[in-house]
Every structure is written in structure tokens, then in C-alpha cells.
Amino acid sequence: MPAASRWSFWLCQFVLVPFVHSVTIADIQGPAFRSPLEGQSVKSVTGVVTAKSSSGFYIQSDPVQDAAVSTGLFVFSESSQVLDAVVVGDEISLSGTVSDFRSSSDPTFLESTELESPTAITVLSTKNVVTPLVLGTDRSPPTQDLSALDVGPDGFLSVPNNQSLVDVVNATVQPTSFGIDFWSSLEGQLVTVPKPISIGFENSFGEFWVRGDWDATNVNSRGGLTLAFGPNGTPDGGPESVIIGSPLDGSVNPNMSVGKTLSDISGVIQYQFGFYYILPLTAPTVLSIPDPTVPVTNLTSIADGCTITIGDYNVDNMGPDSPHLPAAANDIATHLQTPDIMFMQEIQDNSGETDDGTVDANVTLSTLSAAIASQSNVKYNFTEVIPVNDQDGGEPGGNIRPAYLFNPKTVSLVPGLPVGGPLDAVEPVIGSDGQLTLNFNPGRIDPTNAAWDSSRKPIVAVWETTSGRRFFTINLHNAAKVDGGSSIQGDPRPPLNGAVAQRTAQVQVIASLVSELLSMNSSASVVVGGDFNEFVQTRTVFAPFNNILSEVDELADLDPVERYTYVFDNLQEQLDHVFVSSAVASRKVEVEHVHVNSWAPDVNTRTSDHDPSVARLRVC
Ligand SMILES: *[C@@H]1O[C@H](CO)[C@@H](O)[C@H](O)[C@H]1NC(C)=O
Ligand SMILES: *[C@@H]1O[C@H](CO)[C@@H](O)[C@H](O)[C@H]1NC(C)=O
Ligand SMILES: *[C@@H]1O[C@H](CO)[C@@H](O)[C@H](O)[C@H]1NC(C)=O
Ligand SMILES: *[C@@H]1O[C@H](CO)[C@@H](O)[C@H](O)[C@H]1NC(C)=O
Ligand SMILES: *[C@@H]1O[C@H](CO)[C@@H](O)[C@H](O)[C@H]1NC(C)=O
Ligand SMILES: *[C@@H]1O[C@H](CO)[C@@H](O)[C@H](O)[C@H]1NC(C)=O
Ligand SMILES: *[C@@H]1O[C@H](CO)[C@@H](O)[C@H](O)[C@H]1NC(C)=O
């Protein structure tokens, strides 16, 4: 802010406010997150009405020099008398009370500045036109960081979380540097997004994220934004994206998927439900739709006795009668080309979500195997460790678990070993043949460890190729982020990452088993894969793997922006990973993420919320 305008701002506050209460919108908004006039009664606020909603209207005054200060303001009122008193284009004067409103629905939401209890509404002139600020031309969002308060080595993903609160620190916003600051500095203003591109699916309210015709970083080939490291070496939170809310005129947004191009969107900026929204004046139209064809994997099974293909797929609460089972079978048969071993997650028991004490999933797995066989020339066998009823989280009664499908023509479980019970701990042992093996095959890792409370226990197995080469696998599904998280544009900084401590402990327990295996045979081939429910950019969570395991994406040098298996809010992100021991890493490593679900034309036509992946690895 230029010194002169800062000085006049303070002068205005000191001289005018306590005595006169006659203020501008810029005085109310101020340069910080919270209003300098919070709680005060003000009068003679003037502005032009730019938009109306069912709970109030937006007014805007002439631009000011300081880009930190918004010249738009939401006037809250549900009174039809008030709402009927103004029309868009009216220049009005009014009185009211300045409030920094925090929605009661979630304490982690930010406050938004508004004028409440409006009175003395006087129409000064009509049919005024407010020209929207054109984003990308007049002002552009920053492309890397969300908040100056996201301190720590992993930026907005740093642990510990919740080191400070935006509204308590109440800093002067820095709109050219930080995303939350940028959108906050335009709160209540009318803006246009030129050439929007949809970067996700619509949510259940028909709201969706876009980026516009401005600079963006970590753009993937589909047009979306990938959660990857940014130019400054910390994770990029995609601050150059914005969520579009329900249209103010009652029109309905079209359905979205990643990569649709849309007509320009004009609307007002309003913080709600944890994000800075643009509430569009009217719904945009879809101008183009991306090619619905999803390339199939190139990593087919070779079955040369050394090479194995591994598929990894979280199939979203699948029981034997799930309507999406045939589609998942089709994905495995056609898009994944029937890998030698499938690491499956979210396999439900034989009674699906019914909470009737059923725990075995052999009907679910054989139904899936039969469905794949009907579409391919592979008849998968399967193996699982049957869990204790209702102890592993997820949908009550579903007893979801990780399990393996395997092609008995290309790989077999090392024979002669008992299948572990739910509470048996798998351990590496030297077998009677002098070879490293397991006490249970398959078995669970330290299943009574508190790290696994109400969570899936990983399933460990030891296998042989057709030429008798041995390798070990760990298929896991770590604790979900759902509970206790906060939005990327919320009050706690860095944002709360739900269950991050539990996930870190789980990675630690898995790392301990891998270390034991490697301490008994440093050249053992070990493959660890599944749904980690975490991004590798949250480096603290994966730290226990440092020096013992490498991620196949990194080894195969896959373009970082093409590493994703999930679409969430504004980002395409990777929750599903495959890691390998150094023996495997030293040989040729290939991986592909197969975007059957992230590239779906419609959110409701997806088989699962996760994309599957295929890796082709050498165990000798
Ligand atoms: C927030 O910052 C503004 C501008 O610096 C200041 O006037 C206001 O009093 C602060 N509000 C609170 C609650 O700290
Ligand atoms: C985050 O920090 C604030 C302030 O210290 C505290 O009130 C709040 O309970 C914390 N939230 C969580 C989930 O720990
Ligand atoms: C969006 O998709 C749903 C289900 O696929 C459909 O019922 C709805 O009519 C679609 N809405 C629009 C606006 O196309
Ligand atoms: C298979 O290779 C083709 C050609 O390089 C590529 O376009 C396609 O994306 C690959 N498939 C997958 C699933 O990556
Ligand atoms: C499932 O397991 C039960 C108990 O071992 C067995 O009786 C049944 O035949 C199996 N069903 C299938 C489809 O494998
Ligand atoms: C399937 O795998 C089980 C071990 O889980 C094994 O006992 C059985 O013989 C296998 N069946 C075939 C047809 O390979
Ligand atoms: C150690 O692993 C290598 C590679 O798989 C294998 O050739 C060797 O036999 C193993 N040794 C033992 C004792 O398991």
C-alpha cells in the first residue's frame, strides 16, 4: 500500500468513525482479513447494487488504489421489504452494522465481512453499470501458495497443522503472493472469469472448480491442476482456481468433468462453506468436452519368470451384488489388461454393507474373478485375511479389506504356509529351505498395534514367479482423511489434515516390517502398494520409508503433473502409490495411472472415486 493511502485510511478511521460513522465500503473492508469497523454501526455507505441473492445483495463502489482493499460488500438481509427496495444498477446509500460473520456450521471456516441489519436505504440513482474486474487482465491470482501462515517444510501440507488461525493473526492481505489473500481482497466484488476450464466434477450442490485465462502451474494434460511441488519446492495448493456456486438467477449449472471449456463467468465473490466462491449471475454454457477415450495400459503381462505386473485399485465399497462390480471387472480386463497380481482395496464381505456378522469376502472375490474371466482369458484366484467383524472402519457392516487377485498361470503364493488369522502378526522367517519367507501367507502386519484401530490392516504375502523367483508384497489401505480436516481456504494454518498422526504411525509400522525383511535379506524384492490416503508431498508422513523404499512414479520418471489417481476439490491428486525395495528399484521400473474415473464424462458414471494404476517390475 502506498504510504499516502495508508495514512489517509487511518485518518479516516480516527477522525470520522468514532464521531460520524459515515464510511465507504473500502473503510469497512480495510486491508486485513477482518474489518477495522467490526461491530460498529455505520451510515451513509454508498455503492451500486451488483447482484441479489435470497439472503441479501452486493454493493460496490469505485476502485481504490490499494489492491488489498475490496470495494465490494455483501449486505445481509432476508427481509423481502429490504430485498424489494433495491434493484441491480441502483446506486444506494444505507446504514447498518458491520459484522465479520463466521458460519456456525464449521468452526474452521473463515469469517466474511458483511453489513447486517440494513436501514435507511435510499436510492440515489438507477441503471448504473458496474464493469466487472476481469481476472487474468485486471488482477491475476497467485499460482503457488495459499497463505503466508502455511509455515513448515511442506507448505500447506506441513505437519504440525493448525499453528495459527487466519482470523486471529488478522494480517494485512498480500494478494499478489497468497491465494486466500487474493480472493479475500476481492470479497463482495463483481468479477469475470474469462475462458473458464472445469477442473473437477460438480459437487452434490452443482458447484464446481475452474481456472481461467491466466497463468497456472502444474496443469496436467487433461487441463486440471495436479497437486505437485511448485516452482519454490513446496507443494502447490492451486490458488489460481476458484469454486463456482449456484447461479444467483436460479439457472442451473451444467454438469462438470475435468477439462470442459465454458463460456465466461461473471459473478460476485462470497466466502461460504470454507471457500471463496464466485456466485455466478447466471449459469455458464459448455463450449467443449474432452475426448472421453481413456488409454488402456501399455504395461501388459510378460510372464517371463522375472517380470511381474501389479495392478492397484480401490474399488469403493464393493460387495458381491454391487452394481459397479461388472464395471470394475471391465476396467481390470480391458484398461488394466489383467495384471499378474491385483492389489484390491475396499472389498466388502459376502453380505456387502449389511451388518449381519458376515466377515468372509470369498463370494465377493469369486464374483469379481468370474466377471473378469467373462471379459478376458484370465481366471483370477484370490487370497485374503478375514477380519474381525466391524473393527476396521469404513461403512458399518461392510468390513472392507485389502485383498489380492492373482493369475495362477503367472504367479503363486509360496506354498505350505498357513493363512493368518485376523489377530496373527506376520513375521519374516527363514524357511527350512534356507530362504526368506513368512510365518503366515498371507498375514497381517502387527494387527493389534494401536495404529490400526478402526482401520484396515495391510495384507502381506510371499510369492513365486513361474521360474521360482520369490518376492514379497504389502497391500494396504491407510486411515482416511475424512474426519477432522479443514478446507485449504479455512482458518487453521496449515490446514488440519484429518488422521495424519494415525497415517504416519501406519506408515511407520509398515516400514518396520519392510526393514525386518531387508535386514534378513537386503536383496529381497518387496512391493508395497495401495491406498495411502495421503500425498507424497506430505513428506513427514512418508519419512519412515526414506532409505528403504522408493516410489515407482519417481523411479519411472513419470511427469509429476500426470501423477494422480483422485479428483478432490480443486486438485487432481495421488492417494494411491506403489513403492519398491532397492533390489526392484535397481531394475527397470514402469508405471501408468489409468484415468478411467478421473476422466469420466460424468461424476455418476464413475466406477470408483479412485483411478487404478499398473506397474511392471522385475523381481530378478
Ligand atoms: C484486523 O486488522 C484491521 C486492520 O489492521 C484492524 O483495524 C482491526 O482492528 C483488526 N481486527 C481485529 C479483531 O484484530
Ligand atoms: C486449532 O487451534 C486452535 C487455536 O489454538 C484451537 O482452538 C483449536 O481447538 C485447534 N483445532 C484442533 C482441531 O486442534
Ligand atoms: C447432471 O447429471 C445428472 C445425473 O447424471 C442428471 O440427472 C442431471 O440432469 C444432469 N444435470 C444437468 C444440468 O445436465
Ligand atoms: C500407452 O501409450 C500411449 C502411447 O505412448 C499413451 O498415449 C497412453 O497414454 C499410454 N497408456 C497409459 C494408460 O498411460
Ligand atoms: C466361501 O467360503 C465358504 C467357507 O469356507 C465355503 O463354504 C464356500 O464354498 C466359499 N464360497 C466361494 C464362492 O468360494
Ligand atoms: C488358489 O489359491 C489358493 C491359495 O489362496 C490355493 O489353495 C488354490 O489351490 C488356488 N487355486 C488355483 C486354481 O490355483
Ligand atoms: C535373498 O534374495 C535374493 C533375491 O531375491 C535371493 O536370490 C536369495 O536367495 C535370497 N536369500 C535368502 C537367504 O533368502
Side-chain angles (χ1 to χ4, degrees):
M1 186 188 322
S5 79
R6 181 186 282 272
W7 185 80
S8 62
F9 173 76
W10 285 109
L11 182 72
C12 158
Q13 247 209 328
F14 265 88
V15 176
L16 298 179
V17 173
F19 308 108
V20 185
H21 298 288
S22 174
V23 299
T24 65
I25 293 174
D27 296 336
I28 292 172
Q29 288 288 2
F33 278 90
R34 291 169 66 162
S35 170
L37 303 179
E38 199 175 327
Q40 296 194 33
S41 295
V42 294
K43 68 174 191 181
S44 305
V45 182
T46 61
V48 175
V49 178
T50 53
K52 289 171 73 171
S53 75
S54 56
S55 58
F57 55 89
Y58 296 81
I59 55 174
Q60 190 163 323
S61 62
D62 289 337
V64 293
Q65 195 99 61
D66 186 353
V69 178
S70 172
T71 53
L73 184 65
F74 179 58
V75 180
F76 172 77
S77 177
E78 284 169 327
S79 144
S80 55
Q81 217 180 339
V82 168
L83 292 173
D84 291 348
V86 300
V87 295
V88 171
D90 285 355
E91 182 191 23
I92 63 168
S93 157
L94 76 172
S95 304
T97 305
V98 177
S99 162
D100 274 322
F101 169 77
R102 188 192 304 278
S103 161
S104 57
S105 56
D106 189 328
T108 69
F109 292 170
L110 287 174
E111 295 178 339
S112 61
T113 300
E114 60 186 40
L115 194 65
E116 294 177 355
S117 311
T119 56
I121 298 177
T122 311
V123 178
L124 306 174
S125 64
T126 62
K127 299 194 167 64
N128 298 282
V129 175
V130 173
T131 309
L133 194 88
V134 180
L135 299 177
T137 301
D138 299 327
R139 299 270 302 276
S140 296
T143 61
Q144 158 91 46
D145 292 321
L146 295 160
S147 168
L149 302 178
D150 289 341
V151 293
D154 296 341
F156 81 106
L157 300 176
S158 296
V159 179
N161 312 150
N162 197 27
Q163 297 301 286
S164 58
L165 300 170
V166 171
D167 284 327
V168 170
V169 175
N170 187 31
T172 296
V173 301
Q174 300 178 61
T176 57
S177 301
F178 301 104
I180 294 182
D181 302 50
F182 176 81
W183 298 107
S184 169
S185 75
L186 298 173
E187 183 177 39
Q189 278 190 222
L190 186 65
V191 300
T192 293
V193 179
K195 298 191 171 72
I197 298 171
S198 163
I199 57 174
F201 299 101
E202 78 278 9
N203 65 19
S204 57
F205 305 99
E207 304 163 348
F208 59 97
W209 289 83
V210 298
R211 61 187 179 87
D213 191 14
W214 53 75
D215 283 350
T217 51
N218 289 330
V219 176
N220 58 48
S221 69
R222 196 63 170 177
L225 299 179
T226 302
L227 201 177
F229 291 109
N232 75 359
T234 63
D236 178 348
E240 67 272 47
S241 57
V242 63
I243 183 168
I244 308 297
S246 297
L248 290 166
D249 67 352
S251 57
V252 177
N253 284 328
N255 285 352
M256 289 300 154
S257 60
V258 179
K260 286 187 180 179
T261 65
L262 311 171
S263 59
D264 292 0
I265 297 171
S266 292
V268 286
I269 297 202
Q270 169 75 62
Y271 190 87
Q272 58 181 18
F273 313 125
F275 299 105
Y276 287 100
Y277 278 66
I278 294 177
L279 301 181
L281 302 180
T282 192
T285 54
V286 175
L287 303 181
S288 73
I289 294 175
D291 183 353
T293 314
V294 179
V296 306
T297 189
N298 303 289
L299 306 179
T300 50
S301 174
I302 295 175
D304 59 1
C306 261
T307 306
I308 53 165
T309 52
I310 300 282
D312 178 37
Y313 200 179
N314 179 328
V315 285
D316 190 15
N317 285 318
M318 178 177 290
D321 302 323
S322 292
H324 66 292
L325 184 145
N330 182 263
D331 290 342
I332 294 167
T334 60
H335 277 90
L336 306 190
Q337 295 283 294
T338 53
D340 299 323
I341 305 181
M342 282 299 304
F343 289 43
M344 307 297 302
Q345 299 94 36
E346 298 205 18
I347 295 294
Q348 289 186 331
D349 63 42
N350 295 340
S351 66
E353 68 213 30
T354 309
D355 196 0
D356 58 0
T358 304
V359 285
D360 199 336
N362 65 342
V363 176
T364 309
L365 290 162
S366 52
T367 306
L368 181 59
S369 169
I372 297 167
S374 74
Q375 304 182 55
S376 71
N377 56 6
V378 172
K379 177 77 178 88
Y380 279 110
N381 197 343
F382 58 84
T383 188
E384 61 168 331
V385 173
I386 298 171
V388 178
N389 191 37
D390 291 344
Q391 291 304 301
D392 291 359
E395 206 171 23
N399 288 311
I400 54 170
R401 79 216 55 197
Y404 296 105
L405 300 179
F406 61 96
N407 182 351
K409 294 211 166 98
T410 56
V411 288
S412 55
L413 287 162
V414 169
L417 303 168
V419 174
L423 303 178
D424 291 330
V426 76
E427 292 293 344
V429 292
I430 301 295
S432 52
D433 58 359
Q435 292 285 300
L436 182 61
T437 186
L438 301 173
N439 57 343
F440 297 105
N441 196 23
R444 292 176 137 193
I445 303 178
D446 198 3
T448 56
N449 190 306
W452 306 116
D453 285 356
S454 299
S455 186
R456 280 71 44 183
K457 288 74 177 162
I459 177 172
V460 188
V462 54
W463 309 84
E464 276 171 1
T465 66
T466 47
S467 66
R469 301 300 187 131
R470 197 165 278 200
F471 61 98
F472 298 82
T473 64
I474 301 176
N475 173 11
L476 62 103
H477 181 189
N478 284 351
K481 285 174 178 285
V482 281
D483 295 324
S486 62
S487 91
I488 56 165
Q489 295 181 356
D491 203 16
R493 309 311 306 181
L496 294 163
N497 182 353
V500 69
Q502 185 174 13
R503 277 192 301 284
T504 310
Q506 293 177 339
V507 170
Q508 181 64 64
V509 177
I510 295 165
S512 298
L513 184 84
V514 175
S515 294
E516 266 186 82
L517 280 166
L518 295 175
S519 71
M520 294 169 77
N521 188 348
S522 61
S523 39
S525 293
V526 184
V527 182
V528 181
D531 178 1
F532 283 77
N533 269 311
E534 192 57 84
F535 330 116
V536 288
Q537 293 81 13
T538 312
R539 284 173 284 205
T540 44
V541 171
F542 289 92
F545 282 179
N546 292 349
N547 308 317
I548 55 170
L549 292 167
S550 311
E551 199 192 16
V552 292
D553 296 75
E554 203 62 35
L555 296 166
D557 201 22
L558 193 66
D559 185 345
V561 298
E562 305 305 335
R563 300 179 193 177
Y564 60 85
T565 60
Y566 203 83
V567 184
F568 184 73
D569 286 343
N570 60 330
L571 296 170
Q572 287 168 259
E573 52 198 34
Q574 193 179 356
L575 296 175
D576 307 271
H577 310 274
V578 175
F579 288 82
V580 295
S581 61
S582 60
V584 181
S586 67
R587 306 181 190 114
K588 186 175 183 190
V589 168
E590 299 161 284
V591 63
E592 289 177 342
H593 303 295
V594 185
H595 300 302
V596 286
N597 296 312
S598 293
W599 288 15
D602 182 320
V603 70
N604 297 310
T605 61
R606 296 184 304 172
T607 303
S608 168
D609 46 350
H610 292 252
D611 282 329
S613 306
V614 179
R616 191 157 62 187
L617 309 168
R618 276 80 187 160
V619 298
C620 49

